[in-house]
Amino acid sequence: MPSYEELGELLGPASTVLLTVECQQGVVGPDSALPELAREARSSGALRNVARLVSAAHETGVQVIHALAERRPDGRGANRNARLFRAAERLPVQQLAGTTAVRVAPPIEVTEEDFVVRRLHGLSPIQGTEVDALLRNLGCRTLIVTGVSANVAVPNAVFDAVNRGYTAVVPADAVAGVPADYTPAMIRNTLALVATITSTDEVLGCFERPRRRP
């Protein structure tokens, strides 16, 4: 993990954006389409840590973007070129546009200053969405990636961020996947090669500390 000073340099409020990935009721809520993932997100504390980070970002002026995945009731425009997509079509809870399933899940709070970006296709919250353009227009240099899942969407987000020139920061305890032991292994063996791995408390400490004047 980076030193406190090194992390603090990366997380200047004016150039940092906090991204929450698929923290929606139909994924991590009590009526999730993926109950095993929802249980892990809650029991591990990852969802609570995402909420803590979002709250602190709101207080310190760090921009928050919530990236959600949804589909039209008729399925038009959605991928069918992988087993994951075809399995999702058969789940009892569908991530349908306009339903509670695609609302940001408690205890995460959404404010008027937040951006909510919804996608109808693909695996990544960045590729093919508005997120990259928003990050550039916001002057983002560091992207904090949180949410679910460590299996698919989170690593996609990290790789896409790095490929586009952003520095990715991953609070390991604000990410969840299944099975439980997969997440730390994936972070240690994959994301640590391309992202700065840290913890929720360390990020919060950087958000809260006084900034040096230039």
Side-chain angles (χ1 to χ4, degrees):
M1 286 190 178
S3 71
Y4 183 71
E5 288 300 320
E6 290 170 336
L7 187 61
E9 290 301 315
L10 289 177
L11 297 180
S15 59
T16 298
V17 173
L18 172 63
L19 179 70
T20 76
V21 178
E22 296 184 23
C23 292
Q24 56 202 71
Q25 294 195 39
V27 175
V28 296
D31 298 319
S32 169
L34 304 164
E36 184 183 3
L37 177 59
R39 284 193 298 270
E40 180 59 26
R42 292 176 176 277
S43 65
S44 67
L47 189 62
R48 178 176 60 86
N49 286 331
V50 175
R52 293 171 64 207
L53 289 164
V54 168
S55 178
H58 291 157
E59 293 176 3
T60 56
V62 171
Q63 181 65 56
V64 178
I65 298 179
H66 305 281
L68 307 179
E70 61 180 36
R71 58 186 287 118
R72 289 166 46 119
D74 61 11
R76 289 171 65 86
N79 290 67
R80 299 198 75 257
N81 58 333
R83 187 175 68 175
L84 175 66
F85 300 122
R86 295 190 294 274
E89 293 177 350
R90 300 190 296 271
L91 292 174
V93 177
Q94 294 289 305
Q95 313 299 318
L96 297 182
T99 67
T100 58
V102 294
R103 294 179 186 170
V104 175
I108 300 169
E109 295 185 354
V110 181
T111 68
E112 292 182 356
E113 289 76 24
D114 295 357
F115 289 102
V116 178
V117 178
R118 303 175 184 275
R119 76 177 193 276
L120 290 170
H121 59 83
L123 299 170
S124 172
I126 297 178
Q127 171 66 33
T129 74
E130 294 180 288
V131 170
D132 183 38
L134 292 174
L135 295 177
R136 295 191 184 283
N137 290 344
L138 291 164
C140 176
R141 293 198 299 271
T142 300
L143 184 66
I144 305 172
V145 180
T146 66
V148 297
S149 72
N151 305 78
V152 178
V154 167
N156 265 270
V158 171
F159 284 126
D160 284 345
V162 172
N163 284 334
R164 286 162 174 75
Y166 304 106
T167 297
V169 171
V170 179
D173 56 355
V175 170
V178 290
D181 59 359
Y182 175 75
T183 300
M186 188 278 296
I187 291 173
R188 182 174 61 253
N189 294 298
T190 301
L191 296 191
L193 302 177
V194 296
T196 297
I197 307 303
T198 183
S199 69
T200 295
D201 285 344
E202 288 177 328
V203 172
L204 293 177
C206 291
F207 281 179
E208 293 166 359
R209 77 174 187 171
R211 293 281 156 187
R212 292 179 300 180
R213 295 187 178 182

